[in-house]
Amino acid sequence: MRITVNVNGEDRTREVEPRHLLVRFLRDDLELTGTHWGCDTSNCGTCVVLMDGEPVKSCTVLAVMAAGHEIRTVEDLADGDRLDPVQQGFIEQHGLQCGFCTPGMMLTGRALLDRNPDPSDQEIREAISGQLCRCTGYLNIVRSIQWAAREQAAVAAPEAPATATATGGRA
Amino acid sequence: MTGPYDRAIVPPDRPSDPRGTGAVLKGRERAVQVPASFDYRRATSVAEALELLRRYGEEARVVAGGHSLLPMMKLRLAGPELLVDINDLHELDHIEQAGDELRIGALTRHRTLLESPLVGRCFPIVHDAEKVIADPPVRNRGTIGGSLCQADPSEDLSAVCGALHARVVIRGEGGERVVPMADFHQGPYETAVGVGEMLVQVRIPVLPGAGSAYEKVERKSGDWAVAAAGVALTLREGRIADAGVGLAAVGAGALNLDAVQELLNGREPSEALYEEAGRLASAHCSPVTDGRGSAEYKRHLAGELTRRALRRSVARARTAQGTTGEA
Ligand SMILES: Cc1cc2nc3c(=O)[nH]c(=O)nc-3n(C[C@H](O)[C@H](O)[C@H](O)COP(=O)(O)OP(=O)(O)OC[C@H]3O[C@@H](n4cnc5c(N)ncnc54)[C@H](O)[C@@H]3O)c2cc1C
Ligand code: FES
Ligand code: FES
Protein backbone atom coordinates (compact mmCIF):
# COMPACT_ATOMS: atom_id res chain seq x y z
CA MET A 1 0.00 0.00 0.00
CA ARG A 2 1.12 3.49 -0.73
CA ILE A 3 0.83 5.76 2.29
CA THR A 4 1.68 9.34 3.14
CA VAL A 5 2.41 10.21 6.74
CA ASN A 6 3.28 13.69 7.88
CA VAL A 7 6.43 13.15 9.92
CA ASN A 8 8.01 16.10 11.67
CA GLY A 9 6.16 18.53 9.44
CA GLU A 10 7.02 16.84 6.15
CA ASP A 11 4.85 14.52 4.06
CA ARG A 12 6.64 11.21 3.63
CA THR A 13 5.32 8.72 1.09
CA ARG A 14 6.30 5.06 1.01
CA GLU A 15 5.06 1.72 -0.19
CA VAL A 16 4.41 -0.50 2.84
CA GLU A 17 2.75 -3.76 3.78
CA PRO A 18 -0.35 -3.25 5.95
CA ARG A 19 1.35 -5.18 8.77
CA HIS A 20 4.28 -2.76 8.87
CA LEU A 21 4.45 -1.17 12.31
CA LEU A 22 4.81 2.57 12.69
CA VAL A 23 8.01 2.12 14.71
CA ARG A 24 9.58 0.21 11.80
CA PHE A 25 8.34 2.73 9.28
CA LEU A 26 10.06 5.50 11.22
CA ARG A 27 13.27 3.61 11.94
CA ASP A 28 13.78 1.51 8.81
CA ASP A 29 12.05 3.40 6.03
CA LEU A 30 12.67 6.96 7.14
CA GLU A 31 15.87 6.21 9.07
CA LEU A 32 14.63 8.17 12.04
CA THR A 33 16.32 5.93 14.57
CA GLY A 34 15.75 8.31 17.47
CA THR A 35 12.53 6.43 18.12
CA HIS A 36 13.57 3.35 20.05
CA TRP A 37 12.10 -0.08 19.93
CA GLY A 38 12.13 -2.22 23.05
CA CYS A 39 9.58 -4.76 24.17
CA ASP A 40 7.35 -4.68 21.11
CA THR A 41 4.45 -5.64 23.38
CA SER A 42 3.14 -2.14 24.18
CA ASN A 43 4.53 -2.36 27.68
CA CYS A 44 7.82 -0.47 27.82
CA GLY A 45 6.93 2.79 26.08
CA THR A 46 10.37 3.45 24.61
CA CYS A 47 8.71 3.63 21.17
CA VAL A 48 6.48 6.56 22.14
CA VAL A 49 6.00 9.20 19.45
CA LEU A 50 3.42 11.95 19.22
CA MET A 51 0.46 11.25 16.94
CA ASP A 52 -1.54 14.41 16.33
CA GLY A 53 0.22 15.83 19.38
CA GLU A 54 -0.45 13.02 21.84
CA PRO A 55 1.85 10.19 22.96
CA VAL A 56 1.21 6.77 21.43
CA LYS A 57 3.21 3.54 21.43
CA SER A 58 4.41 3.24 17.85
CA CYS A 59 4.97 -0.53 18.12
CA THR A 60 1.20 -0.89 18.46
CA VAL A 61 0.14 1.42 15.64
CA LEU A 62 0.24 0.21 12.05
CA ALA A 63 2.00 2.55 9.65
CA VAL A 64 -1.12 2.42 7.47
CA MET A 65 -3.17 3.63 10.44
CA ALA A 66 -0.88 6.64 10.77
CA ALA A 67 -1.44 7.67 7.14
CA GLY A 68 -2.94 11.13 6.99
CA HIS A 69 -1.88 11.88 10.57
CA GLU A 70 0.89 14.00 12.02
CA ILE A 71 3.71 12.14 13.70
CA ARG A 72 6.36 13.91 15.72
CA THR A 73 9.56 12.17 16.74
CA VAL A 74 12.46 13.14 18.96
CA GLU A 75 14.38 14.37 15.90
CA ASP A 76 11.93 17.26 15.68
CA LEU A 77 12.34 18.52 19.25
CA ALA A 78 15.35 20.76 18.68
CA ASP A 79 15.08 23.79 16.45
CA GLY A 80 18.41 23.66 14.63
CA ASP A 81 21.02 24.03 17.35
CA ARG A 82 18.50 25.27 19.87
CA LEU A 83 17.38 22.48 22.14
CA ASP A 84 13.82 22.18 23.30
CA PRO A 85 13.54 23.16 26.99
CA VAL A 86 12.69 19.53 27.73
CA GLN A 87 15.93 18.38 26.12
CA GLN A 88 17.85 21.04 27.99
CA GLY A 89 16.12 19.92 31.18
CA PHE A 90 17.35 16.35 30.67
CA ILE A 91 20.90 17.73 30.45
CA GLU A 92 20.57 20.06 33.44
CA GLN A 93 18.94 17.49 35.69
CA HIS A 94 20.79 14.36 34.51
CA GLY A 95 17.52 12.97 33.15
CA LEU A 96 19.23 10.10 31.33
CA GLN A 97 21.68 7.37 32.02
CA CYS A 98 21.83 4.85 29.16
CA GLY A 99 19.40 6.98 27.16
CA PHE A 100 17.23 4.17 25.89
CA CYS A 101 13.95 5.47 27.31
CA THR A 102 14.89 9.11 26.75
CA PRO A 103 13.30 9.91 23.36
CA GLY A 104 9.92 8.65 24.51
CA MET A 105 10.23 10.35 27.89
CA MET A 106 11.12 13.68 26.30
CA LEU A 107 8.24 13.53 23.84
CA THR A 108 5.81 12.73 26.66
CA GLY A 109 7.26 15.65 28.60
CA ARG A 110 6.80 17.91 25.58
CA ALA A 111 3.17 16.82 25.05
CA LEU A 112 2.42 17.31 28.74
CA LEU A 113 3.86 20.84 28.83
CA ASP A 114 1.96 21.75 25.65
CA ARG A 115 -1.30 20.98 27.45
CA ASN A 116 -0.32 21.90 30.96
CA PRO A 117 2.60 24.34 31.28
CA ASP A 118 2.77 23.97 35.06
CA PRO A 119 2.25 20.31 35.91
CA SER A 120 2.50 19.03 39.47
CA ASP A 121 4.95 16.34 40.44
CA GLN A 122 2.06 13.86 40.44
CA GLU A 123 0.88 14.92 36.98
CA ILE A 124 4.35 14.36 35.55
CA ARG A 125 4.56 10.94 37.16
CA GLU A 126 1.16 10.02 35.78
CA ALA A 127 2.12 11.24 32.29
CA ILE A 128 5.25 9.04 32.15
CA SER A 129 3.65 6.08 33.91
CA GLY A 130 3.38 4.06 30.70
CA GLN A 131 7.11 4.26 30.06
CA LEU A 132 9.82 2.28 31.76
CA CYS A 133 13.27 3.58 32.57
CA ARG A 134 15.34 0.46 33.05
CA CYS A 135 18.05 2.61 34.62
CA THR A 136 15.33 3.67 37.09
CA GLY A 137 16.17 7.35 36.87
CA TYR A 138 12.58 8.41 37.36
CA LEU A 139 13.29 11.10 39.93
CA ASN A 140 15.63 12.90 37.57
CA ILE A 141 13.23 12.50 34.66
CA VAL A 142 10.54 14.21 36.73
CA ARG A 143 13.01 16.94 37.67
CA SER A 144 14.03 17.40 34.03
CA ILE A 145 10.44 18.03 32.99
CA GLN A 146 9.96 20.37 35.94
CA TRP A 147 13.10 22.22 34.90
CA ALA A 148 11.67 22.62 31.41
CA ALA A 149 8.38 23.93 32.80
CA ARG A 150 10.22 26.58 34.84
CA GLU A 151 12.47 27.47 31.94
CA GLN A 152 9.50 27.97 29.63
CA ALA A 153 7.72 30.08 32.22
CA ALA A 154 10.85 32.19 32.70
CA VAL A 155 11.21 32.75 28.96
CA ALA A 156 7.53 33.64 28.68
CA ALA A 157 7.84 36.21 31.51
CA PRO A 158 11.19 37.93 30.83
CA GLU A 159 11.04 40.28 33.83
CA ALA A 160 11.19 37.31 36.19
CA PRO A 161 14.66 36.01 37.21
CA ALA A 162 16.35 35.27 33.92
CA THR A 163 17.01 31.54 34.04
CA ALA A 164 15.44 28.71 35.89
CA THR A 165 17.62 27.36 38.63
CA ALA A 166 19.13 23.97 38.27
CA THR A 167 18.40 22.83 41.78
CA GLY A 168 15.61 20.52 40.74
CA GLY A 169 13.69 21.03 43.95
CA ARG A 170 10.25 19.70 44.53
CA ALA A 171 7.32 21.21 42.68
CA MET B 1 4.87 -14.94 0.72
CA THR B 2 8.38 -14.44 1.99
CA GLY B 3 9.75 -11.23 3.27
CA PRO B 4 11.97 -9.74 5.90
CA TYR B 5 9.44 -10.61 8.57
CA ASP B 6 9.16 -14.31 8.05
CA ARG B 7 11.92 -15.07 10.54
CA ALA B 8 9.77 -13.46 13.13
CA ILE B 9 6.95 -15.91 13.09
CA VAL B 10 6.28 -17.11 16.58
CA PRO B 11 6.44 -20.85 16.98
CA PRO B 12 2.90 -21.87 17.91
CA ASP B 13 4.05 -24.01 20.79
CA ARG B 14 5.64 -21.17 22.68
CA PRO B 15 3.69 -20.04 25.70
CA SER B 16 2.43 -16.60 25.07
CA ASP B 17 0.61 -13.91 26.89
CA PRO B 18 -1.87 -11.78 25.03
CA ARG B 19 -1.77 -9.27 27.82
CA GLY B 20 1.95 -8.86 27.59
CA THR B 21 2.81 -9.67 31.15
CA GLY B 22 6.26 -10.35 29.98
CA ALA B 23 6.58 -12.02 26.73
CA VAL B 24 8.34 -15.13 26.28
CA LEU B 25 9.85 -14.84 22.89
CA LYS B 26 13.57 -15.01 22.95
CA GLY B 27 16.39 -16.08 20.75
CA ARG B 28 18.33 -14.77 17.79
CA GLU B 29 15.62 -15.80 15.35
CA ARG B 30 13.29 -13.27 16.84
CA ALA B 31 14.29 -10.22 14.86
CA VAL B 32 10.96 -8.48 15.18
CA GLN B 33 7.46 -9.35 16.18
CA VAL B 34 4.94 -8.40 13.54
CA PRO B 35 1.56 -9.74 12.55
CA ALA B 36 1.11 -12.17 9.67
CA SER B 37 0.04 -10.59 6.39
CA PHE B 38 -3.44 -9.18 6.02
CA ASP B 39 -5.33 -6.72 3.88
CA TYR B 40 -6.30 -3.35 5.24
CA ARG B 41 -9.18 -1.06 4.43
CA ARG B 42 -9.95 2.20 6.10
CA ALA B 43 -13.71 2.61 6.21
CA THR B 44 -15.11 6.02 5.34
CA SER B 45 -18.60 5.28 6.62
CA VAL B 46 -20.30 2.81 8.94
CA ALA B 47 -22.17 1.45 5.92
CA GLU B 48 -18.89 0.78 4.12
CA ALA B 49 -17.42 -0.91 7.20
CA LEU B 50 -20.48 -3.14 7.49
CA GLU B 51 -20.35 -3.96 3.80
CA LEU B 52 -16.69 -5.05 4.10
CA LEU B 53 -17.42 -7.08 7.22
CA ARG B 54 -20.28 -8.79 5.44
CA ARG B 55 -18.28 -9.50 2.33
CA TYR B 56 -15.26 -10.98 4.12
CA GLY B 57 -17.27 -12.73 6.84
CA GLU B 58 -15.28 -14.53 9.52
CA GLU B 59 -11.98 -13.48 7.99
CA ALA B 60 -12.54 -9.77 8.65
CA ARG B 61 -12.03 -7.94 11.92
CA VAL B 62 -12.68 -4.37 12.97
CA VAL B 63 -9.65 -2.52 14.26
CA ALA B 64 -10.34 0.40 16.60
CA GLY B 65 -7.48 1.37 18.94
CA GLY B 66 -5.73 -1.85 18.02
CA HIS B 67 -4.30 -2.17 21.51
CA SER B 68 -5.81 -5.57 22.14
CA LEU B 69 -6.04 -6.83 18.58
CA LEU B 70 -2.54 -5.97 17.31
CA PRO B 71 -0.77 -7.63 20.27
CA MET B 72 -2.90 -10.73 19.66
CA MET B 73 -2.04 -10.68 15.96
CA LYS B 74 1.66 -10.39 16.76
CA LEU B 75 1.36 -13.46 18.95
CA ARG B 76 -0.66 -15.32 16.28
CA LEU B 77 -3.62 -15.54 18.63
CA ALA B 78 -5.63 -13.75 15.97
CA GLY B 79 -5.07 -13.89 12.22
CA PRO B 80 -7.69 -11.93 10.32
CA GLU B 81 -7.29 -11.67 6.55
CA LEU B 82 -8.79 -8.20 6.48
CA LEU B 83 -8.65 -5.38 8.98
CA VAL B 84 -11.40 -2.81 8.69
CA ASP B 85 -10.08 0.37 10.28
CA ILE B 86 -12.91 2.41 11.82
CA ASN B 87 -10.75 5.25 13.17
CA ASP B 88 -12.06 7.74 10.60
CA LEU B 89 -15.68 7.15 11.60
CA HIS B 90 -15.96 10.22 13.78
CA GLU B 91 -19.71 9.73 14.16
CA LEU B 92 -18.83 6.80 16.43
CA ASP B 93 -16.80 9.10 18.69
CA HIS B 94 -19.35 10.92 20.81
CA ILE B 95 -20.73 11.31 24.32
CA GLU B 96 -24.25 12.68 24.48
CA GLN B 97 -27.15 12.74 26.88
CA ALA B 98 -30.43 11.54 25.37
CA GLY B 99 -33.34 11.55 27.77
CA ASP B 100 -32.45 9.47 30.79
CA GLU B 101 -29.42 7.79 29.29
CA LEU B 102 -25.91 8.67 28.29
CA ARG B 103 -24.91 7.47 24.85
CA ILE B 104 -21.26 6.78 24.18
CA GLY B 105 -20.01 6.03 20.67
CA ALA B 106 -18.03 2.82 20.24
CA LEU B 107 -14.94 4.71 19.05
CA THR B 108 -14.76 6.93 22.14
CA ARG B 109 -11.22 6.62 23.52
CA HIS B 110 -10.36 5.85 27.14
CA ARG B 111 -8.82 9.28 27.39
CA THR B 112 -11.96 11.05 26.20
CA LEU B 113 -14.01 9.19 28.81
CA LEU B 114 -11.53 10.14 31.51
CA GLU B 115 -11.56 13.79 30.51
CA SER B 116 -15.34 14.10 30.19
CA PRO B 117 -16.86 16.01 33.14
CA LEU B 118 -20.30 14.75 32.09
CA VAL B 119 -19.19 11.13 32.37
CA GLY B 120 -17.51 11.83 35.72
CA ARG B 121 -20.64 13.50 37.07
CA CYS B 122 -23.07 10.79 35.95
CA PHE B 123 -20.80 7.79 36.51
CA PRO B 124 -17.90 8.29 38.91
CA ILE B 125 -17.25 4.55 38.48
CA VAL B 126 -16.06 5.21 34.91
CA HIS B 127 -13.49 7.75 36.06
CA ASP B 128 -12.38 5.49 38.93
CA ALA B 129 -11.73 2.77 36.36
CA GLU B 130 -10.26 4.90 33.60
CA LYS B 131 -7.62 6.31 35.95
CA VAL B 132 -6.23 2.80 36.36
CA ILE B 133 -6.82 1.32 32.90
CA ALA B 134 -3.45 0.86 31.24
CA ASP B 135 -1.39 4.05 30.92
CA PRO B 136 -1.76 7.40 29.13
CA PRO B 137 -0.38 6.39 25.69
CA VAL B 138 -2.57 3.26 25.66
CA ARG B 139 -5.56 5.33 26.79
CA ASN B 140 -4.92 7.69 23.88
CA ARG B 141 -5.71 4.82 21.48
CA GLY B 142 -7.92 2.23 23.17
CA THR B 143 -11.69 2.61 22.80
CA ILE B 144 -14.75 1.61 24.78
CA GLY B 145 -16.02 -0.43 21.82
CA GLY B 146 -12.75 -2.33 21.56
CA SER B 147 -12.71 -2.96 25.29
CA LEU B 148 -16.21 -4.43 25.32
CA CYS B 149 -15.79 -6.39 22.07
CA GLN B 150 -12.54 -7.90 23.26
CA ALA B 151 -14.69 -9.64 25.91
CA ASP B 152 -11.65 -10.37 28.01
CA PRO B 153 -12.88 -11.12 31.54
CA SER B 154 -10.06 -8.86 32.79
CA GLU B 155 -11.26 -5.83 30.83
CA ASP B 156 -12.19 -3.15 33.37
CA LEU B 157 -14.81 -1.37 31.26
CA SER B 158 -16.78 -4.59 30.85
CA ALA B 159 -17.21 -4.89 34.62
CA VAL B 160 -18.03 -1.17 34.77
CA CYS B 161 -20.67 -1.40 32.03
CA GLY B 162 -22.06 -4.55 33.64
CA ALA B 163 -22.46 -2.82 37.00
CA LEU B 164 -24.10 0.17 35.29
CA HIS B 165 -26.60 -2.10 33.49
CA ALA B 166 -25.49 -0.62 30.19
CA ARG B 167 -26.95 -1.71 26.88
CA VAL B 168 -25.01 -1.85 23.66
CA VAL B 169 -26.18 -1.07 20.16
CA ILE B 170 -25.14 -3.50 17.44
CA ARG B 171 -25.62 -2.47 13.83
CA GLY B 172 -25.79 -4.78 10.83
CA GLU B 173 -27.31 -4.93 7.38
CA GLY B 174 -30.81 -5.29 8.77
CA GLY B 175 -30.57 -2.35 11.17
CA GLU B 176 -29.81 -2.03 14.86
CA ARG B 177 -30.48 -4.15 17.90
CA VAL B 178 -29.98 -3.19 21.51
CA VAL B 179 -28.49 -5.84 23.78
CA PRO B 180 -28.07 -5.66 27.57
CA MET B 181 -24.49 -6.09 28.79
CA ALA B 182 -25.53 -9.27 30.57
CA ASP B 183 -26.25 -10.89 27.19
CA PHE B 184 -23.46 -9.19 25.25
CA HIS B 185 -20.59 -11.34 26.44
CA GLN B 186 -21.21 -14.94 25.51
CA GLY B 187 -17.99 -16.32 26.91
CA PRO B 188 -14.36 -15.27 27.06
CA TYR B 189 -13.50 -13.41 23.83
CA GLU B 190 -17.01 -14.03 22.44
CA THR B 191 -19.72 -11.43 22.02
CA ALA B 192 -23.18 -11.06 20.55
CA VAL B 193 -21.69 -9.18 17.58
CA GLY B 194 -22.34 -11.42 14.57
CA VAL B 195 -20.66 -11.64 11.18
CA GLY B 196 -21.25 -8.45 9.21
CA GLU B 197 -22.10 -6.48 12.35
CA MET B 198 -20.37 -4.01 14.58
CA LEU B 199 -20.85 -2.31 17.90
CA VAL B 200 -21.79 1.33 17.42
CA GLN B 201 -22.86 2.66 20.79
CA VAL B 202 -23.04 2.03 24.51
CA ARG B 203 -26.08 3.33 26.41
CA ILE B 204 -26.02 3.80 30.14
CA PRO B 205 -29.07 4.75 32.21
CA VAL B 206 -28.67 7.98 34.17
CA LEU B 207 -30.55 7.53 37.43
CA PRO B 208 -31.25 10.34 39.89
CA GLY B 209 -29.43 10.04 43.19
CA ALA B 210 -27.12 7.33 41.92
CA GLY B 211 -23.72 6.44 43.32
CA SER B 212 -21.08 4.19 41.83
CA ALA B 213 -17.45 3.21 42.37
CA TYR B 214 -14.70 0.96 41.03
CA GLU B 215 -12.02 -0.68 43.11
CA LYS B 216 -9.06 -2.41 41.48
CA VAL B 217 -5.93 -4.03 42.80
CA GLU B 218 -3.04 -4.10 40.33
CA ARG B 219 0.54 -5.25 40.71
CA LYS B 220 2.01 -2.12 39.22
CA SER B 221 0.82 1.11 37.72
CA GLY B 222 -0.98 0.54 34.41
CA ASP B 223 -1.29 -3.20 34.79
CA TRP B 224 -4.32 -5.38 34.34
CA ALA B 225 -6.31 -6.11 37.47
CA VAL B 226 -5.39 -8.86 39.89
CA ALA B 227 -9.07 -8.46 40.68
CA ALA B 228 -11.51 -5.57 40.56
CA ALA B 229 -15.08 -4.78 41.54
CA GLY B 230 -17.56 -2.22 40.26
CA VAL B 231 -20.76 -1.21 42.02
CA ALA B 232 -23.58 1.10 40.94
CA LEU B 233 -26.79 1.77 42.87
CA THR B 234 -29.35 4.36 43.82
CA LEU B 235 -30.86 5.12 47.20
CA ARG B 236 -34.64 5.36 47.43
CA GLU B 237 -35.95 6.46 50.80
CA GLY B 238 -32.77 5.25 52.35
CA ARG B 239 -32.89 1.85 50.69
CA ILE B 240 -30.69 0.46 47.94
CA ALA B 241 -32.29 0.10 44.50
CA ASP B 242 -31.07 -0.65 40.98
CA ALA B 243 -27.97 -2.35 42.37
CA GLY B 244 -25.37 -3.46 39.85
CA VAL B 245 -22.27 -5.41 40.79
CA GLY B 246 -19.65 -6.47 38.24
CA LEU B 247 -16.24 -8.05 38.78
CA ALA B 248 -13.16 -8.12 36.55
CA ALA B 249 -10.32 -10.63 36.31
CA VAL B 250 -12.06 -13.34 38.33
CA GLY B 251 -13.40 -15.44 35.47
CA ALA B 252 -16.08 -15.03 32.83
CA GLY B 253 -19.70 -14.34 33.65
CA ALA B 254 -19.08 -11.92 36.52
CA LEU B 255 -20.27 -8.72 34.83
CA ASN B 256 -23.59 -8.88 36.63
CA LEU B 257 -23.70 -10.80 39.90
CA ASP B 258 -27.44 -11.40 40.16
CA ALA B 259 -27.19 -13.00 43.58
CA VAL B 260 -25.44 -9.94 45.06
CA GLN B 261 -27.73 -7.51 43.27
CA GLU B 262 -30.81 -9.27 44.61
CA LEU B 263 -29.40 -9.27 48.11
CA LEU B 264 -28.79 -5.52 47.98
CA ASN B 265 -32.01 -4.27 46.40
CA GLY B 266 -34.51 -3.03 48.98
CA ARG B 267 -32.07 -3.18 51.88
CA GLU B 268 -30.76 -0.36 54.04
CA PRO B 269 -27.02 0.14 53.69
CA SER B 270 -25.02 -1.21 56.63
CA GLU B 271 -21.62 -2.73 57.28
CA ALA B 272 -23.31 -6.06 57.93
CA LEU B 273 -24.95 -5.90 54.50
CA TYR B 274 -21.63 -5.05 52.81
CA GLU B 275 -20.05 -7.97 54.61
CA GLU B 276 -22.71 -10.35 53.32
CA ALA B 277 -22.51 -8.92 49.80
CA GLY B 278 -18.73 -9.37 49.79
CA ARG B 279 -19.09 -12.97 50.90
CA LEU B 280 -21.58 -13.67 48.11
CA ALA B 281 -19.44 -11.95 45.48
CA SER B 282 -16.48 -14.03 46.49
CA ALA B 283 -18.58 -17.20 46.27
CA HIS B 284 -19.99 -16.30 42.84
CA CYS B 285 -16.80 -15.88 40.86
CA SER B 286 -14.33 -18.31 39.36
CA PRO B 287 -10.79 -16.93 39.47
CA VAL B 288 -7.82 -18.99 38.37
CA THR B 289 -4.29 -18.95 39.68
CA ASP B 290 -1.85 -17.16 37.39
CA GLY B 291 1.11 -14.80 37.47
CA ARG B 292 -1.02 -12.13 39.09
CA GLY B 293 -2.05 -14.16 42.11
CA SER B 294 -3.61 -17.32 43.43
CA ALA B 295 -7.27 -18.12 42.93
CA GLU B 296 -7.69 -17.92 46.69
CA TYR B 297 -6.21 -14.42 46.89
CA LYS B 298 -8.36 -13.21 43.99
CA ARG B 299 -11.46 -14.63 45.63
CA HIS B 300 -10.56 -12.77 48.79
CA LEU B 301 -10.07 -9.58 46.76
CA ALA B 302 -13.42 -10.03 45.01
CA GLY B 303 -15.13 -9.89 48.39
CA GLU B 304 -13.08 -7.10 49.89
CA LEU B 305 -13.23 -4.90 46.77
CA THR B 306 -17.00 -5.41 46.50
CA ARG B 307 -17.34 -4.19 50.09
CA ARG B 308 -15.17 -1.14 49.43
CA ALA B 309 -16.96 -0.27 46.20
CA LEU B 310 -20.32 -0.60 47.98
CA ARG B 311 -19.25 1.71 50.79
CA ARG B 312 -18.07 4.36 48.34
CA SER B 313 -21.13 4.01 46.09
CA VAL B 314 -23.46 4.56 49.02
CA ALA B 315 -21.43 7.57 50.20
CA ARG B 316 -21.54 9.04 46.70
CA ALA B 317 -25.27 8.41 46.34
CA ARG B 318 -25.83 10.24 49.63
CA THR B 319 -23.74 13.17 48.43
CA ALA B 320 -25.59 13.21 45.11
CA GLN B 321 -28.92 13.29 46.91
CA GLY B 322 -27.68 15.97 49.28
CA THR B 323 -26.70 18.08 46.29
CA THR B 324 -30.03 17.50 44.60
CA GLY B 325 -31.83 18.42 47.81
CA GLU B 326 -29.96 21.69 48.21
CA ALA B 327 -30.23 22.70 44.56
C1 LIG C 1 -0.03 -2.34 27.82
C2 LIG C 1 -1.52 -2.44 27.88
C3 LIG C 1 -2.16 -2.42 29.11
C4 LIG C 1 -3.54 -2.51 29.20
N1 LIG C 1 -4.12 -2.47 30.43
C5 LIG C 1 -5.47 -2.56 30.53
C6 LIG C 1 -6.11 -2.51 31.80
O1 LIG C 1 -5.47 -2.35 32.85
N2 LIG C 1 -7.46 -2.64 31.84
C7 LIG C 1 -8.22 -2.77 30.70
O2 LIG C 1 -9.42 -2.86 30.80
N3 LIG C 1 -7.64 -2.79 29.49
C8 LIG C 1 -6.28 -2.69 29.38
N4 LIG C 1 -5.70 -2.73 28.13
C9 LIG C 1 -6.54 -2.90 26.95
C10 LIG C 1 -6.92 -1.58 26.39
O3 LIG C 1 -7.93 -1.04 27.19
C11 LIG C 1 -7.39 -1.75 24.96
O4 LIG C 1 -7.32 -0.56 24.34
C12 LIG C 1 -8.81 -2.29 24.83
O5 LIG C 1 -8.91 -3.54 25.41
C13 LIG C 1 -9.20 -2.54 23.40
O6 LIG C 1 -9.60 -1.38 22.81
P1 LIG C 1 -9.12 -1.09 21.33
O7 LIG C 1 -9.93 0.04 20.84
O8 LIG C 1 -7.65 -0.94 21.32
O9 LIG C 1 -9.60 -2.42 20.58
P2 LIG C 1 -8.97 -3.21 19.35
O10 LIG C 1 -7.70 -3.84 19.75
O11 LIG C 1 -8.98 -2.37 18.14
O12 LIG C 1 -10.09 -4.33 19.19
C14 LIG C 1 -10.32 -5.33 20.17
C15 LIG C 1 -11.35 -6.32 19.65
O13 LIG C 1 -12.62 -5.69 19.52
C16 LIG C 1 -13.08 -5.70 18.17
N5 LIG C 1 -13.72 -4.40 17.95
C17 LIG C 1 -13.21 -3.17 18.25
N6 LIG C 1 -14.12 -2.21 18.02
C18 LIG C 1 -15.24 -2.84 17.56
C19 LIG C 1 -16.53 -2.39 17.15
N7 LIG C 1 -16.87 -1.10 17.19
N8 LIG C 1 -17.43 -3.32 16.74
C20 LIG C 1 -17.10 -4.64 16.71
N9 LIG C 1 -15.90 -5.11 17.10
C21 LIG C 1 -14.98 -4.24 17.51
C22 LIG C 1 -11.86 -5.97 17.33
O14 LIG C 1 -12.19 -6.61 16.13
C23 LIG C 1 -11.05 -6.86 18.26
O15 LIG C 1 -11.53 -8.15 18.18
C24 LIG C 1 -4.32 -2.65 28.02
C25 LIG C 1 -3.70 -2.68 26.78
C26 LIG C 1 -2.32 -2.59 26.69
C27 LIG C 1 -1.68 -2.62 25.34
S1 FES D 1 8.52 -1.17 22.04
FE1 FES D 1 6.58 -0.24 22.04
S2 FES D 1 6.01 -0.31 24.09
FE2 FES D 1 7.89 -1.38 24.11
S1 FES E 1 18.05 6.06 30.97
FE1 FES E 1 18.37 3.97 30.68
S2 FES E 1 16.37 3.27 30.38
FE2 FES E 1 16.03 5.25 31.06
Side-chain angles (χ1 to χ4, degrees), chain A residues 42-43, chain B residues 61-69 86 106 110 132-134 138 142-143 145-147 149-150 155-156 198-199 216 222-224:
Chain A
S42 44
N43 278 277
Chain B
R61 286 285 270 276
V62 167
V63 64
H67 274 56
S68 289
L69 184 54
I86 60 168
H110 291 302
V132 290
I133 290 177
V138 173
T143 65
S147 293
C149 289
Q150 182 67 15
E155 209 84 43
D156 294 297
M198 60 189 274
L199 180 73
K216 170 173 170 177
D223 197 14
W224 295 82

Side-chain angles (χ1 to χ4, degrees), chain A residues 3 10 23 53 64 73 78 80 87 99 143 163:
Chain A
I3 59 164
E10 217 182 297
V23 65
V64 289
T73 69
Q87 291 173 304
R143 286 177 178 156
T163 48

Side-chain angles (χ1 to χ4, degrees), chain B residues 78-96:
Chain B
E81 286 178 10
L82 174 74
L83 279 192
V84 180
D85 183 350
I86 60 168
N87 282 278
D88 281 355
L89 306 184
H90 302 295
E91 71 261 41
L92 298 183
D93 183 0
H94 60 257
I95 300 175
E96 62 205 20

